[in-house]
Amino acid sequence: MSATASTYDVIIIGAGLGGGIAAGVLAEAGQRVLLLERGRDLRYRDIPGDHLRHHRLSLYGDNTTYDPTGHPRVFVDPQGRSRTVFPHEADYHNNALTVGGGARIWGMQAWRFHPDDFRMASRYGTPTGSSLADWPVSYADLAPFYERAEQEIGVAGDHAATDYAPRDRPFPLPPVPATPTGAWLARGAAKLGWNAFTPPLAVNTKPYLGRNACVQCRQCIGFACPTDARNGSHNTLLPRALATGRCTLITRAHVARVLTDASGRAYGVEYFAPTTPDSAQTERRKVHAATIILAGGAIETARLLLLSASAQHPLGLGNHSDHVGRHLQGHYYPVVSGLLPAGFENPNLGPGVSIATTQFNHGNPGIIGGAMLANDFVKLPIIFWRSHLPPDLPRWGLANKKAMRELYLRGIDLRGPVQEIPSPDSRVTLDAHIRDYFGLPVARLSGTTHPETIRTAEYIRARAEDWLRAAGAEHVWSSPMDLRLSASQHQAGTARLAADPRDGVTDPYGRVHGHDNLWVTDGSLNVTNGGFNPALTIMALAFRTATKIAAKS
Amino acid sequence: MPLTPQQIEALRALLDRLIPEDEFPGALAAGTDKFILQLLTHACAAETPIIAQSLTQLDAEAIARHDLPFGKLPIAAQDALIYELEHNRTATAWPTTFPANGFINRLIDLAAEGFYADPANGGNRDASSWRMIGYNPLLPVHPTAP
Ligand SMILES: Cc1cc2nc3c(=O)[nH]c(=O)nc-3n(C[C@H](O)[C@H](O)[C@H](O)COP(=O)(O)OP(=O)(O)OC[C@H]3O[C@@H](n4cnc5c(N)ncnc54)[C@H](O)[C@@H]3O)c2cc1C
Ligand code: SF4
């Protein structure tokens, strides 16, 4: 085992969305940062434009995973049957494992949570069997950091119309261009008396921070952006960190455990990395630092806390009250499809998401929470074929082929990230049998969301149908929701924030309870996941936690 | 285990009906058969034995009904047989683990995957299906992303 001298103040595990932000803030504050990322630092040309292997349709692989077989997980279905799963399978609940994390290929919807998303239990009570709870952080606490994320990552939006949550400063970029489908849906919303506006997207609608504007291609979500207009931490805070000369990024560096002493202080990490950058040969290393930050995403961060068990902490770090890995959640996504009127002029340009309503995030009679609803990204032909042809159509033959050419540009669908009512039984544990390439127990995912989530999702599905019908869609269809585990791209909740160590894993700033210098800056912190895509909240929390760490050191 | 020439002939005949030619090229002209054969030797190699067996079974069904292998049937009889199998109405015994409708549905999916995916996958030659439906990824010729 080779040892690297303790030349770092901070070690960050994971150069994904949250880890990249922590690296930027801390390196600029003068700290020497070591950023360990298990994936590679992929260039545009390294991320194939394969329509069957990307992050929205990964039938036979995806376009970022460097080792498709070495890092399985175990998935336990609601009937209790377990099986080994690989990154391209839905039950793996993947996000991109690469420098930049999910944001390398994300859809860029950059929403602040609603103020009431931080106080769900106060507003609705906690249903029996669920772990619905308030955050120990309010919207007002997070607002300045939301603003920083919007300005420093680059979010395009309509300041005046985005009024469901108070905001001080306009977005730094003008909203994505209006589309004919957006205008058509806006008329539908007006008929119903609903609000509707251009959603905030982290995309360069004009050149910003030294990078080009979006050229509205039709291969957007799930792929790398040809003009680097898709904003995340990989093209903003991470390059800023590296530019200080104080941040070292090591890729294909797979952290195996966090090392703690008898008092619970974290003093370093153990990781596997190639012996030389391009070598297939790996070696085990130890490295020390005064502060350790976990940012591996909600599933892998929970796994690392569990893998780091020691004599003093036999259940894993931060796990004295048995919350690590629990409350695993994502979003339920009702999808409602329909057809635009025949002859509708549809230029079908990227990114595609161009209108949203926040009418149903809260205040739905008899329902807990709700969701933002929006139209969707430009659809790849194969995705349209698989999921958006009318269900009563033959699946083959001339009739199907003819429908593809007549209906492709008439396809329209609405969807919304339904706020989950979390369950403590939806969780990450360590599998007792299956090991990864390095011999470490893999993550085992089990349980389901709380059944209340289904009621909310069904309510939202009905509202999406109302919207398409009011707009004048010719045909409207969707499928009912079933009870299952939902984590996936929006995975969150496995190291939840709590003021009292008995109620969660991390303190209100993201420090692991009981471990003075061990912090988290990823989706694991989210107590609940809002009725919105979560990444802007993950970024705001990462800015806030990193600022706190910088101030302490 | 590669497919036999008879199985490949059945596969091609089936694809020709799943995505037929009209004013636009069909599956065979677009190379979708080659896409599937490629998949069956690589990513989906584990499925090859059962698909091979099912293609033989498809011929057996055709012979049981019309005394001709699937590829030699008139188009109308081919379409009628696919429809029957899609609804699991069979004249011969199919494996219970992979019934007739499972086989037909899998081939329908594979055909569409090849035909509507990006041309680099090999089943959408000259992006013919994309031109048919009015899709072009509109990627810049010279990407400026690093
Ligand atoms: C196709 C797609 C579309 C999306 N669209 C949106 C959207 O429109 N809006 C939105 O808000 N969100 C979206 N998301 C979700 C968003 O990308 C995630 O919420 C976000 O990336 C999570 O940030 P994170 O920091 O928690 O984790 P990640 O970004 O996943 O980063 C974790 C990083 O840690 C690394 N890592 C893990 N374990 C280890 C280890 N042991 N050692 C070293 N490194 C490790 C991983 O490789 C990864 O790079 C999308 C995701 C996908 C995949
Ligand atoms: S639509 Fe715009 S942001 Fe999306 S990949 Fe294309 S150029 Fe990039």
Side-chain angles (χ1 to χ4, degrees):
Chain A
M1 187 183 296
S2 77
T4 314
S6 175
T7 46
Y8 305 104
D9 300 311
V10 186
I11 298 168
I12 303 175
I13 303 163
L17 190 56
I21 287 181
V25 171
L26 288 164
E28 288 184 348
Q31 309 245 334
R32 294 161 307 165
V33 175
L34 175 63
L35 189 50
L36 298 174
E37 166 56 49
R38 71 186 229 174
R40 294 163 297 175
D41 190 7
L42 301 171
R43 307 290 92 193
Y44 173 71
R45 65 171 180 279
D46 302 326
I47 302 181
D50 186 329
H51 285 210
L52 304 178
R53 296 171 189 82
H54 59 100
H55 279 276
R56 216 179 199 195
L57 184 63
S58 50
L59 291 174
Y60 307 111
D62 65 46
N63 52 2
T64 63
T65 300
Y66 74 91
D67 178 359
T69 56
H71 298 277
R73 287 176 181 156
V74 170
F75 178 76
V76 185
D77 70 18
Q79 288 71 44
R81 293 170 300 210
S82 62
R83 67 186 190 95
T84 304
V85 288
F86 295 92
H88 70 280
E89 297 177 74
D91 290 337
Y92 190 88
H93 292 275
N94 201 14
N95 231 337
L97 301 171
T98 166
V99 170
R104 192 70 184 80
I105 44 71
W106 69 323
M108 311 174 289
Q109 293 201 49
W111 294 92
R112 298 181 181 204
F113 283 179
H114 187 284
D116 281 355
D117 292 342
F118 298 90
R119 45 184 302 279
M120 290 293 286
S122 295
R123 175 150 185 181
Y124 298 100
T126 300
T128 311
S130 90
S131 45
L132 195 67
D134 289 351
W135 289 50
V137 175
S138 69
Y139 178 82
D141 294 334
L142 217 48
F145 300 97
Y146 272 135
E147 188 174 295
R148 256 193 99 174
E150 288 170 355
Q151 300 294 325
E152 296 183 31
I153 299 291
V155 177
D158 180 342
H159 176 67
T162 309
D163 60 1
Y164 64 90
R167 38 181 307 114
D168 293 336
R169 234 175 122 182
F171 293 99
L173 288 156
V176 293
T179 63
T181 36
W184 178 82
L185 284 164
R187 288 194 295 276
K191 268 194 221 161
L192 295 162
W194 300 357
N195 73 43
F197 57 97
T198 311
L201 261 71
V203 61
N204 282 358
T205 44
K206 61 176 201 207
Y208 187 60
L209 301 174
R211 283 175 296 103
N212 289 322
C214 160
V215 292
Q216 298 203 274
C217 78
R218 298 194 187 116
Q219 191 172 286
C220 186
I221 186 171
F223 297 96
C225 172
T227 61
D228 201 19
R230 177 195 313 279
N231 300 329
S233 60
H234 61 283
N235 51 12
T236 56
L237 274 281
L238 176 58
R240 276 167 49 185
L242 297 173
T244 64
R246 283 186 293 273
C247 176
T248 306
L249 168 66
I250 305 185
T251 56
R252 290 178 56 211
H254 201 119
V255 176
R257 62 190 274 122
V258 175
L259 306 165
T260 51
D261 64 19
S263 76
R265 271 188 79 79
Y267 64 86
V269 308
E270 231 175 73
Y271 70 102
F272 294 93
T275 45
T276 56
D278 296 317
S279 171
Q281 199 92 44
T282 56
E283 62 182 7
R284 196 183 186 111
R285 297 181 191 157
K286 255 188 199 176
V287 58
H288 298 193
T291 302
I292 313 288
I293 299 178
L294 294 157
I299 294 173
E300 292 300 321
T301 283
R303 177 178 172 223
L304 262 177
L305 287 168
L306 298 172
L307 283 174
S308 305
S310 65
Q312 285 76 25
H313 303 280
L315 301 176
L317 305 183
N319 202 22
H320 31 264
S321 51
D322 191 22
H323 285 285
V324 170
R326 293 192 183 272
H327 325 293
L328 175 63
Q329 57 198 295
H331 282 112
Y332 259 57
Y333 256 99
V335 176
V336 171
S337 304
L339 296 177
L340 294 160
F344 191 94
E345 199 59 46
N346 179 9
N348 198 33
L349 293 177
V353 175
S354 60
I355 190 157
T357 182
T358 52
Q359 191 75 31
F360 302 104
N361 280 80
H362 290 283
N364 304 310
I367 294 292
I368 299 180
M372 173 278 293
L373 276 172
N375 63 344
D376 197 36
F377 300 89
V378 165
K379 273 206 184 39
L380 302 183
I382 182 59
I383 290 184
F384 182 79
W385 183 87
R386 284 171 58 90
S387 310
H388 298 280
L389 279 170
D392 47 7
L393 212 74
R395 294 184 68 235
W396 58 278
L398 280 177
N400 183 274
K401 189 181 177 197
K402 216 161 152 258
M404 274 300 285
R405 60 179 177 257
E406 284 170 4
L407 304 182
Y408 172 66
L409 288 173
R410 289 180 56 196
I412 173 97
D413 68 282
L414 295 171
R415 57 184 70 202
V418 170
Q419 167 131 244
E420 275 193 53
I421 315 306
S423 161
D425 300 329
S426 171
R427 64 189 297 206
V428 180
T429 53
L430 298 179
D431 192 75
H433 308 289
I434 306 296
R435 310 250 154 173
D436 70 8
Y437 178 84
F438 299 112
L440 305 168
V442 305
R444 177 181 176 89
L445 310 178
S446 60
T448 69
T449 189
H450 189 276
E452 272 296 322
T453 307
I454 308 285
R455 288 203 329 118
T456 308
E458 288 296 2
Y459 180 86
I460 293 298
R461 181 163 74 96
R463 299 295 75 75
E465 292 205 349
D466 293 344
W467 192 0
L468 274 191
R469 290 212 172 85
E474 210 169 83
H475 210 96
V476 174
W477 67 95
S478 62
S479 310
M481 310 260 98
D482 55 344
L483 193 66
R484 55 184 169 74
L485 181 138
S486 130
S488 183
Q489 304 177 346
H490 292 183
Q491 57 186 263
T494 52
R496 58 167 30 181
L497 298 167
D500 186 327
R502 285 170 300 187
D503 298 334
V505 178
T506 45
D507 79 6
Y509 278 94
R511 183 199 340 229
V512 179
H513 281 297
H515 303 276
D516 225 24
N517 58 341
L518 179 62
W519 305 74
V520 178
T521 60
D522 64 26
S524 325
L525 298 175
N526 296 10
V527 179
T528 50
N529 217 12
F532 297 95
N533 312 56
L536 195 78
T537 299
I538 294 171
M539 291 193 254
L541 280 172
F543 270 110
R544 182 166 171 271
T545 300
T547 305
K548 180 80 174 175
I549 298 172
K552 283 177 62 78
S553 314
Chain B
M1 180 185 104
L3 302 187
T4 65
Q6 293 88 322
Q7 289 163 343
I8 291 177
E9 200 180 313
L11 172 69
R12 288 174 47 86
L14 177 58
L15 287 174
D16 202 25
R17 295 320 303 153
L18 295 182
I19 307 180
E21 182 171 85
D22 49 8
E23 13 350 349
F24 296 91
L28 293 186
T32 307
D33 51 335
K34 296 193 185 64
F35 160 83
I36 294 176
L37 291 172
Q38 172 79 6
L39 214 53
L40 290 178
T41 46
H42 293 97
C44 300
E47 282 178 70
T48 307
I50 191 72
I51 293 213
Q53 190 189 336
S54 303
L55 287 165
T56 301
Q57 197 75 30
L58 176 64
D59 274 342
E61 280 286 337
I63 289 165
R65 290 159 200 244
H66 307 284
D67 270 334
L68 287 170
F70 184 78
K72 298 276 185 291
L73 295 184
I75 283 173
Q78 287 178 328
D79 285 355
L81 179 51
I82 297 171
Y83 186 85
E84 291 286 293
L85 297 180
E86 199 187 4
H87 294 86
N88 241 356
R89 292 194 284 266
T90 59
T92 65
W94 288 67
T96 45
T97 48
F98 199 54
N101 63 345
F103 164 70
I104 293 292
N105 280 322
R106 184 68 183 123
L107 265 293
I108 291 171
D109 282 342
L110 287 170
E113 285 164 18
F115 191 71
Y116 293 112
D118 55 303
N121 260 301
N124 182 14
R125 187 176 294 146
D126 302 326
S128 61
S129 76
W130 288 1
R131 277 185 278 117
M132 170 180 87
I133 68 174
Y135 174 83
N136 174 333
L138 293 183
L139 293 171
V141 182
H142 301 291
T144 53

